[in-house]
């Protein structure tokens, strides 16, 4: 809440499968407490534009099964409603919408399935920062440190909520 009240325009949500088919947010493999995803989305809905009307980017680190991804989609659509910006970019235009145009909107930054994909598909389970550092640091020394990248299933409904901000790989 404090970060949003201070005008933060990007929030990372590390989402994992939770009990009773309710996704939870916590920093994985640490001793942090778990918060129900729905509750966090409620708070974001209340405070997203408290300090600034400019768009808020939700950076979604998704570690959930397809079943709980669908629950996440339902919560975001129901709670955020029209604030959630899901319009895909116009391929005929050479630019993206301006921050002025996106005032009052929440953008989801997450993995996205390819256009020709069906109802589900595989994406990497790596976070974007790690992926970018791996891409940028490719020299002879880095070739020896091969990283096994885990694949996870991504549901089309969640992928479709990602419009102009997508995570790489």
């Amino acid at each position: 809440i404090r970060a949003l009240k201070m005008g933060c325009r990007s929030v990372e949500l590390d989402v994992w499968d939770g009990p009773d088919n309710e996704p939870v947010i916590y920093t994985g493999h640490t001793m942090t407490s778990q918060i129900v995803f729905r509750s966090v989305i409620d708070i974001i809905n209340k405070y997203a534009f408290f300090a600034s009307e400019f768009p808020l980017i939700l950076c979604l680190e998704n570690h959930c099964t397809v079943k709980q991804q669908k629950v996440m989609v339902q919560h975001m659509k129901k709670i955020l409603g029209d604030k959630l910006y899901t319009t895909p970019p116009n391929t005929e235009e050479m630019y993206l919408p301006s921050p002025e145009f996106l005032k009052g909107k929440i953008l989801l930054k997450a993995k996205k399935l390819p256009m020709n994909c069906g109802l589900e598909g595989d994406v990497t389970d790596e976070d974007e920062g790690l992926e970018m550092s791996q891409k940028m640091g490719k020299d002879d020394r880095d070739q020896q440190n091969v990283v096994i990248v885990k694949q996870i299933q991504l549901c089309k409904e969640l992928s479709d909520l990602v419009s102009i901000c997508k995570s790489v790989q």
Side-chain angles (χ1 to χ4, degrees):
I1 296 173
R2 184 179 51 190
L4 291 172
K5 283 185 169 183
M6 293 175 66
C8 175
R9 298 291 83 207
S10 179
V11 176
E12 182 174 319
L13 304 176
D14 207 356
V15 190
W16 299 80
D17 282 342
D20 302 322
N21 201 35
E22 279 295 332
V24 293
I25 295 178
Y26 68 99
T27 304
H29 312 297
T30 65
M31 299 299 289
T32 57
S33 58
Q34 298 181 9
I35 306 169
V36 176
F37 178 79
R38 180 185 62 245
S39 299
V40 172
I41 297 301
D42 271 329
I43 295 297
I44 288 170
N45 187 48
K46 280 184 191 162
Y47 294 99
F49 305 107
F50 181 86
S52 172
E53 283 297 310
F54 283 105
L56 175 67
I57 300 171
L58 299 182
C59 303
L60 191 68
E61 292 287 334
N62 171 28
H63 306 280
C64 294
T65 59
V66 168
K67 183 177 180 182
Q68 291 207 15
Q69 289 174 36
K70 291 179 180 186
V71 173
M72 290 166 46
V73 170
Q74 290 172 348
H75 290 324
M76 286 189 285
K77 284 183 172 181
K78 181 180 179 186
I79 295 166
L80 301 175
D82 290 344
K83 291 178 188 173
L84 194 59
Y85 185 81
T86 59
T87 306
N90 184 344
T91 54
E92 295 174 11
E93 294 180 0
M94 298 300 291
Y95 54 88
L96 295 173
S98 70
E100 183 71 28
F101 177 82
L102 294 170
K103 277 186 173 180
K105 296 295 182 186
I106 297 174
L107 308 174
L108 184 63
K109 178 183 174 206
K111 303 288 181 173
K112 187 152 179 77
L113 294 171
M115 295 280 270
N116 58 353
C117 196
L119 296 176
E120 296 172 4
D122 290 330
V123 294
T124 62
D125 188 27
E126 297 298 320
D127 68 51
E128 182 175 319
L130 177 61
E131 289 174 1
M132 288 304 292
S133 65
Q134 287 172 349
K135 285 183 178 181
M136 298 188 70
K138 294 208 177 193
D139 61 18
D140 291 339
R141 288 175 288 129
D142 292 333
Q143 294 299 328
Q144 296 168 0
N145 299 328
V146 177
V147 177
I148 306 297
V149 178
K150 183 180 167 193
Q151 298 281 313
I152 63 164
Q153 285 277 297
L154 179 64
C155 75
K156 184 168 181 357
E157 294 99 317
L158 182 57
S159 176
D160 287 347
L161 294 183
V162 178
S163 60
I164 58 177
C165 295
K166 75 174 185 174
S167 295
V168 294
Q169 276 193 332

